[in-house]
Amino acid sequence: ERDWSQPDRIVGELLQPGGFKVLKRLNLEGSLDDTDCHHTHGYVVHNPAAGLTVDIPYPKDDATQQPTEGRAFHHGRFISGLRRLSKAEKGVQAIHGTVVSLAQENGVVHGVVCRLKEEAELREYRAPLTIVADGCFSNLRKSLVASRVESKSHFAGLVMHNCPQTRARHAEVILANPAPILVYQISSTSTRVLVDIPGKKLPADVKTYLSEQTAPQLPEHIRTPFLEALSSQSVRSMPNSFLAASPILQPGVMILGD
């Protein structure tokens, strides 16, 4: 890892039931211990233009016929939990450094070249398989994938405090104009709101956009906490990007994730 401190991001905060099921299957459910995570049971969808609200509970488990659940949480707390469990595994060595490039010979990836923290010289680590999972801003993907990333829109994010829910343990989606708004609780007191803003660039004055374009379309129980958060916080943003799928045929390497 380039930085072992707890991340602070506005995405990767909601595991749908399928993802939570896989987490348990991998015996990684403990990564959510002591995170104050929120149990989610489904969605409430608001259509302000039509004046309609629809409940969409998660489906029952095919095997047990019991209701399924998801989990929502502060992203950084979840990542810290995954790191804690990973470090406890036999054969895992935690390294504090930055990967500079892939180590390649004759078209085969043999590992990575990295610079350790507080060291000027580069080091090379070799393995039969290198897994590239460095996210949507990957520095390594361009050497393996010809397709270019396209930014379609941006999420503008805030954290609301003590925001009521239409239905307990349900995330909420507002079918607003020009794009949907997503609201989900990530702890006992914090609720994330993500406003999708179409276009390759954010508006020059995002706060004015959110107060004039977004706030009037929010249900009343969300509008007040939203405006309070908007007045007291800086707006965080992340691009919503598209990357066309393509096979990676280079031996020795696999790309996973965003």
Side-chain angles (χ1 to χ4, degrees):
E1 284 281 7
R2 179 175 59 247
D3 185 356
W4 284 99
S5 61
Q6 182 168 293
D8 181 18
R9 299 183 66 195
I10 67 168
V11 292
E13 298 171 317
L14 177 58
L15 270 180
Q16 305 292 357
F20 182 54
K21 187 176 182 179
V22 169
L23 195 71
K24 292 191 289 184
R25 189 184 303 155
L26 293 171
N27 293 320
L28 293 174
E29 188 179 2
S31 59
L32 292 171
D33 291 348
D34 302 319
T35 60
D36 191 23
C37 64
H38 189 69
H39 296 216
T40 58
H41 295 168
Y43 285 88
V44 174
V45 180
H46 304 274
N47 186 336
L52 296 174
T53 297
V54 179
D55 291 352
I56 306 179
Y58 287 143
K60 292 183 178 180
D61 185 270
D62 291 336
T64 65
Q65 290 302 302
Q66 296 298 312
T68 54
E69 288 189 351
R71 293 290 186 273
F73 36 74
H74 285 276
H75 171 84
R77 297 175 186 175
F78 176 50
I79 296 302
S80 294
L82 289 174
R83 289 171 172 173
R84 171 175 48 81
L85 294 182
S86 298
K87 288 179 178 180
E89 288 292 317
K90 293 181 179 179
V92 171
Q93 179 185 0
I95 298 172
H96 195 170
T98 301
V99 174
V100 176
S101 64
L102 297 172
Q104 303 184 53
E105 291 180 8
N106 301 319
V108 178
V109 174
H110 294 288
V112 295
V113 178
C114 70
R115 178 176 286 108
L116 300 191
K117 182 176 174 61
E118 299 178 353
E119 284 190 16
E121 296 181 0
L122 296 177
R123 291 198 187 192
E124 187 173 299
Y125 291 87
R126 292 194 163 221
L129 176 64
T130 300
I131 301 173
V132 177
D134 56 344
C136 62
F137 300 114
S138 173
N139 292 320
L140 304 177
R141 182 177 56 231
K142 61 184 178 182
S143 66
L144 301 169
V145 180
S147 304
R148 297 185 64 181
V149 176
E150 297 180 53
S151 180
K152 300 292 187 179
S153 66
H154 285 77
F155 268 143
L158 295 165
V159 174
M160 303 181 294
H161 297 289
N162 300 312
C163 179
Q165 293 179 312
T166 298
R167 186 174 179 184
R169 301 193 182 281
H170 281 60
E172 303 189 47
V173 177
I174 299 95
L175 302 180
N177 179 30
I181 301 165
L182 181 59
V183 178
Y184 51 92
Q185 193 165 331
I186 56 176
S187 73
S188 55
T189 59
S190 300
T191 297
R192 170 69 67 194
V193 56
L194 293 174
V195 179
D196 189 17
I197 303 178
K200 294 184 177 181
K201 294 183 179 180
L202 285 168
D205 189 344
V206 179
K207 285 203 168 188
T208 298
Y209 177 95
L210 295 176
S211 63
E212 296 182 358
Q213 174 74 22
T214 304
Q217 301 185 72
L218 296 173
E220 289 186 11
H221 69 284
I222 297 175
R223 190 180 306 138
T224 298
F226 177 82
L227 290 172
E228 289 175 351
L230 185 61
S231 67
S232 62
Q233 300 173 23
S234 298
V235 179
R236 307 278 301 280
S237 67
M238 279 290 291
N240 289 317
S241 303
F242 172 77
L243 177 65
S246 60
I248 307 301
L249 303 178
Q250 193 161 355
V253 67
M254 176 186 295
I255 300 181
L256 292 178
D258 293 333

